[in-house]
Amino acid sequence: MSTQPPHNTLLIPGPIEFDDAVLQSMSHYAESHVAPGFVKVFGETLTLLRKLFQSTNPSAQPFLIAGSGTLGWDLVAANLIERGENALVLNTGYFGDSFGNCLTTYGAEVTHLRAPIGDRPAFEEIEAALKQKPYKLLTVTHVDTSTGVLNDIKRVAEVVRRVSPDTLVVVDGVCSVGSEEIAFDEWDLDAVVTASQKAIGCPPGLSIVYCSGRAIQRAQSRKTPPASYYASIANWLPIMQNYEACKPSYFATPPTQLVHALHTTLSQITSRPMSERFAIHTAASDKVKAAIAEIGLAQVAPKPECQAHGMTAMYLPDGLSPPDVLPGLLKRGVIFAAGLHKEIATKYIRFGHMGVSISDPSRNDIDKALSALKEALAEAKQAKGL
Amino acid sequence: MSTQPPHNTLLIPGPIEFDDAVLQSMSHYAESHVAPGFVKVFGETLTLLRKLFQSTNPSAQPFLIAGSGTLGWDLVAANLIERGENALVLNTGYFGDSFGNCLTTYGAEVTHLRAPIGDRPAFEEIEAALKQKPYKLLTVTHVDTSTGVLNDIKRVAEVVRRVSPDTLVVVDGVCSVGSEEIAFDEWDLDAVVTASQKAIGCPPGLSIVYCSGRAIQRAQSRKTPPASYYASIANWLPIMQNYEACKPSYFATPPTQLVHALHTTLSQITSRPMSERFAIHTAASDKVKAAIAEIGLAQVAPKPECQAHGMTAMYLPDGLSPPDVLPGLLKRGVIFAAGLHKEIATKYIRFGHMGVSISDPSRNDIDKALSALKEALAEAKQAKGL
């Protein structure tokens, strides 16, 4: 039984429902950010992040900083590329546009390789684009929260290494880390940017960036200084190294409570093989997608290989928009998200199925949501005379 | 009686002890960051920040962003000044150096007006410096956490307005907001940068920046685009305005739990006149400083008018360094901080007396700390044969 008060079940693509133990970690009493107890928890959390990314290469480096996931874009844009250098953005929607804007802010020359809504750039297109210019880095949104499109980052990295080996592979994993397989070392990735509040199952407020040795080296061999102070790899690197070595260190005060919560959820996640975690997310996703097809709804991402496993974006029947359906879901205790991609925002809704809602079957969240969806749709159609 | 488990009392200059209700707010169940309930809490929190700064001018604008206090420096440096423009840093120690580094990162030409350790720049020096160059902004550390030096920001602002009226007055209030008087509108300040974890009494993880209409106008009339994406006033301004108007809005996911905690503590703080809060901090500070003088310790800031009211930095007797004394305090259940200012770090310790440790006399934190200090010092002297 949950110790949390009764509340509507949050099934948006992040933030997600919290495990009781994770939430309880948030009410830890006040501690000094440089006292041995907290330093140990912070250090262990960094080590747990290595496990989360299935990474054992000691030259890889986790960063854990107070901020939203968005801050990770600044860390990439201010450290891994310099003014006037080229960046290729594999653009699958809202978050590709925004990451591109962030890179432009720091002076990068951004080329967008745009896929149609619900699809992803083809590998041949990526290869052709990489051959046209020397790109310092490429960004790819692993799961686009706005559309539920999944990119195959393993194959993207293979293409980059074959065609343009010096181009850094930067993954926006805000909506994928913890629900989609990532083998950081094996796939030869350079940076994964994520946040605490999606499949990792921690409250929002932590920016997490995982960098390869190659990325760190790129940051350290810049011709110009880092273009940010708070998001500077040079400022944070010694701090992260010291914390992981259990030595107190100070650049800015870490969000102690959130670090405790992240420690708790990562301990839970990594206590079982990561492959098992990905398998349960895939199984739940298959179930959701089959049920949605049965209801007669089309996914925003129609191709199975382009569908995320931690969320589903679905078009509503013609004549219905999110405000027709979301209140009916809420009445049944379920919260889905409205559309986010500007061009289709009024036509679709988003269902997040990640974390404890999947891994704790006693919650029954998914079945409850599917029933609520069926009923709310029927009700909305009736109300509209459809 | 506190509902928190027994623990050593945290009396460093931030983070500080938490009120039970504040800490309980951290374990709020999962919510959507754009749902009406949370939007209302966020909006009210912004309005409460206006009260905290004793500000009623509708053109002033609070910003509340996931991050450490340091992020506020980036927000100032990336929005309120442009590459090649001049900034004057009133430097009273560690945090003046760092704010200067942050401004330099974004291309500002920084002039430091340095005071001797434990002192602050004289008003005549500030006036003379302002007459030498056109400064786009001046920064002043209200309370320097590294030395306990208090700057008189009201008089600094008066000098600026008289001598160089277009220079923005930027206050680093990380260690002052909530314990030192600030009348934002009346004193004609332009930006106060602070964080959640000091005298505000909330866990760390929130960057708070309060801007004047003049500062916002400066940000909006830049010749060059903002130099940060995550710390961009242009990106956050509509979000803050929408939240305060109870309209959902999205740029980056806010740290929902921390916002609840801030809402709770600001509701408590602003439920009584701010003058009363400042008076109790002054009374507690007077008591601490008198007791320390009686023990025979000198303050790092010797002049009474330069002494902060939420913390005290004190030199240890000759022959003793922080590792000789802090364990003895810890044994007695009290946590002080070691020195932070590089040049004197081995010679002094810091005692934070802010928030519930002051406002809730039933805790008895201050008397406990003063007894522990007396005993730990005697013990350390004996051990060293002093």
Side-chain angles (χ1 to χ4, degrees):
Chain A
M1 275 296 287
S2 169
T3 57
Q4 297 169 50
H7 61 277
N8 296 314
T9 307
L10 189 63
L11 293 167
I12 65 176
I16 66 168
E17 286 291 311
F18 305 127
D19 176 84
D20 289 344
V22 173
L23 205 49
Q24 280 153 18
S25 306
M26 293 290 281
S27 48
H28 196 286
Y29 56 79
E31 279 174 301
S32 164
H33 49 296
V34 289
F38 178 72
V39 170
K40 183 165 177 284
V41 168
F42 197 123
E44 285 177 4
T45 306
L46 292 170
T47 304
L48 288 167
L49 284 172
R50 296 183 187 274
K51 283 185 149 184
L52 180 72
F53 287 100
Q54 306 191 78
S55 168
T56 56
N57 188 333
S59 73
Q61 181 61 50
F63 292 87
L64 179 54
I65 306 176
S68 302
T70 303
L71 176 65
W73 295 346
D74 284 68
L75 191 130
V76 168
N79 295 277
L80 304 185
I81 189 163
E82 300 187 56
R83 190 163 285 278
E85 293 180 342
N86 298 318
L88 179 64
V89 172
L90 305 191
N91 192 316
T92 46
Y94 182 92
F95 292 95
D97 288 343
S98 302
F99 203 162
N101 288 341
C102 178
L103 287 159
T104 304
T105 297
Y106 288 94
E109 297 293 327
V110 176
T111 303
H112 287 274
L113 181 57
R114 288 180 201 277
I117 293 173
D119 205 350
R120 63 191 188 195
F123 301 107
E124 301 70 33
E125 292 176 292
I126 299 170
E127 179 162 347
L130 286 168
K131 285 175 175 166
Q132 284 181 357
K133 273 189 222 170
Y135 285 105
K136 283 289 169 173
L137 61 81
L138 163 150
T139 76
V140 51
T141 314
H142 196 182
V143 168
D144 198 302
T145 318
S146 72
T147 56
V149 167
L150 174 71
N151 272 288
D152 185 339
I153 58 170
K154 182 185 179 185
R155 283 192 61 190
V156 168
E158 281 169 5
V159 172
V160 173
R161 290 295 163 245
R162 182 163 49 76
V163 180
S164 179
D166 289 340
T167 301
L168 297 181
V169 178
V170 176
V171 176
D172 179 342
V174 171
C175 196
S176 75
V177 173
S179 60
E180 303 289 347
E181 186 183 6
I182 298 181
F184 188 87
D185 298 349
E186 193 191 321
W187 296 356
D188 205 8
L189 308 174
D190 290 303
V192 179
V193 170
T194 191
S196 48
Q197 79 277 6
K198 303 209 179 196
I200 292 173
C202 178
L206 286 169
S207 166
I208 298 164
V209 182
Y210 201 83
C211 285
S212 68
R214 192 194 290 123
I216 297 294
Q217 215 274 321
R218 177 76 59 87
Q220 289 176 331
S221 59
R222 291 173 64 88
K223 298 182 293 289
T224 55
S228 170
Y229 184 76
Y230 188 64
S232 158
I233 283 181
N235 286 341
W236 284 112
L237 183 61
I239 308 299
M240 297 298 147
Q241 289 173 335
N242 282 339
Y243 268 116
E244 206 170 357
C246 273
K247 285 186 279 190
S249 201
Y250 174 73
F251 168 61
T253 306
T256 46
Q257 269 64 15
L258 284 165
V259 172
H260 274 286
L262 184 62
H263 185 274
T264 302
T265 190
L266 290 181
S267 298
Q268 292 175 346
I269 289 173
T270 61
S271 68
R272 306 178 74 98
M274 289 303 295
S275 56
E276 204 174 285
R277 183 171 180 87
F278 303 135
I280 58 168
H281 277 82
T282 300
S285 178
D286 289 349
K287 178 177 171 175
V288 167
K289 283 159 173 85
I292 280 167
E294 202 174 313
I295 299 173
L297 300 183
Q299 289 184 54
V300 175
K303 299 179 188 167
E305 71 274 19
C306 297
Q307 292 167 354
H309 299 99
M311 67 170 288
T312 304
M314 61 197 100
Y315 284 113
L316 293 170
D318 281 345
L320 293 185
S321 66
D324 300 319
V325 179
L326 296 180
L329 282 163
L330 189 61
K331 207 167 65 183
R332 291 167 176 87
V334 171
I335 303 170
F336 280 13
L340 182 60
H341 194 298
K342 270 180 224 156
E343 290 174 44
I344 55 171
T346 58
K347 297 181 180 171
Y348 78 111
I349 56 174
R350 297 173 297 147
F351 173 9
H353 31 84
M354 300 179 243
V356 287
S357 287
I358 298 302
S359 62
D360 178 357
S362 76
R363 297 180 59 103
N364 200 34
D365 287 349
I366 303 306
D367 286 338
K368 179 179 156 192
L370 290 171
S371 304
L373 177 62
K374 212 177 289 184
E375 291 170 23
L377 276 172
E379 200 174 65
K381 280 185 188 171
Q382 203 173 18
K384 289 264 176 173
L386 296 173
Chain B
M1 278 293 291
S2 170
T3 58
Q4 298 171 49
H7 61 278
N8 297 313
T9 307
L10 190 63
L11 294 167
I12 66 175
I16 66 168
E17 287 290 312
F18 305 128
D19 176 84
D20 289 345
V22 174
L23 204 50
Q24 280 153 18
S25 305
M26 293 291 282
S27 48
H28 196 284
Y29 57 78
E31 279 173 301
S32 165
H33 49 297
V34 289
F38 178 72
V39 170
K40 181 165 177 285
V41 169
F42 197 123
E44 285 176 3
T45 306
L46 293 170
T47 304
L48 288 167
L49 283 172
R50 295 183 187 274
K51 281 185 152 185
L52 181 71
F53 288 99
Q54 306 192 79
S55 168
T56 55
N57 188 333
S59 73
Q61 181 61 49
F63 293 87
L64 178 55
I65 306 176
S68 303
T70 303
L71 177 65
W73 295 346
D74 285 69
L75 191 130
V76 168
N79 296 278
L80 304 186
I81 189 164
E82 301 188 55
R83 189 164 287 280
E85 293 180 341
N86 299 318
L88 180 64
V89 172
L90 306 192
N91 192 316
T92 46
Y94 183 92
F95 292 94
D97 289 343
S98 303
F99 202 161
N101 289 340
C102 177
L103 287 159
T104 304
T105 297
Y106 289 93
E109 297 293 327
V110 176
T111 301
H112 288 274
L113 181 56
R114 288 179 201 278
I117 293 174
D119 205 349
R120 63 191 189 195
F123 301 107
E124 300 71 33
E125 292 176 292
I126 299 170
E127 178 162 348
L130 286 168
K131 285 176 174 165
Q132 283 182 357
K133 273 188 223 172
Y135 286 105
K136 282 289 169 172
L137 60 81
L138 163 150
T139 75
V140 52
T141 314
H142 196 180
V143 169
D144 198 303
T145 319
S146 72
T147 56
V149 166
L150 173 72
N151 273 289
D152 185 339
I153 59 171
K154 182 184 178 187
R155 282 193 59 190
V156 169
E158 281 169 6
V159 172
V160 173
R161 288 296 163 246
R162 181 165 48 78
V163 179
S164 180
D166 289 341
T167 300
L168 297 182
V169 177
V170 175
V171 176
D172 178 342
V174 171
C175 196
S176 75
V177 174
S179 60
E180 303 289 348
E181 186 183 4
I182 298 182
F184 188 88
D185 299 348
E186 191 191 323
W187 296 357
D188 205 8
L189 308 175
D190 290 303
V192 178
V193 170
T194 192
S196 47
Q197 79 276 4
K198 302 208 181 198
I200 293 173
C202 177
L206 286 169
S207 166
I208 298 164
V209 183
Y210 200 84
C211 286
S212 68
R214 193 193 290 124
I216 296 294
Q217 215 273 322
R218 176 76 58 88
Q220 289 176 331
S221 59
R222 289 173 66 88
K223 298 181 294 288
T224 55
S228 170
Y229 185 75
Y230 186 64
S232 159
I233 283 181
N235 287 339
W236 283 113
L237 183 61
I239 307 298
M240 297 298 146
Q241 289 173 335
N242 283 338
Y243 267 114
E244 206 170 355
C246 272
K247 285 187 276 190
S249 199
Y250 175 73
F251 169 62
T253 306
T256 46
Q257 267 67 14
L258 283 166
V259 173
H260 274 284
L262 184 63
H263 186 273
T264 302
T265 190
L266 291 180
S267 299
Q268 291 175 347
I269 289 173
T270 60
S271 68
R272 307 179 75 97
M274 290 303 295
S275 56
E276 203 174 286
R277 184 172 180 87
F278 303 135
I280 57 168
H281 277 82
T282 299
S285 178
D286 289 349
K287 177 176 170 174
V288 166
K289 284 160 173 84
I292 281 166
E294 201 175 315
I295 299 172
L297 300 182
Q299 288 185 55
V300 174
K303 298 179 188 165
E305 71 274 20
C306 297
Q307 292 168 354
H309 300 99
M311 66 171 289
T312 305
M314 61 197 101
Y315 284 113
L316 294 170
D318 281 346
L320 292 185
S321 68
D324 300 319
V325 179
L326 296 181
L329 282 162
L330 189 60
K331 209 166 65 182
R332 293 169 176 86
V334 170
I335 303 172
F336 279 15
L340 182 60
H341 193 298
K342 270 179 224 154
E343 292 174 44
I344 54 169
T346 59
K347 297 181 182 169
Y348 77 111
I349 57 175
R350 295 173 297 148
F351 174 8
H353 31 85
M354 299 178 243
V356 286
S357 287
I358 297 302
S359 62
D360 178 357
S362 76
R363 297 180 58 105
N364 199 34
D365 287 348
I366 302 308
D367 286 338
K368 180 179 154 192
L370 290 171
S371 304
L373 177 62
K374 213 178 288 185
E375 292 170 22
L377 276 172
E379 199 175 65
K381 281 186 188 171
Q382 202 175 20
K384 289 264 177 174
L386 297 172

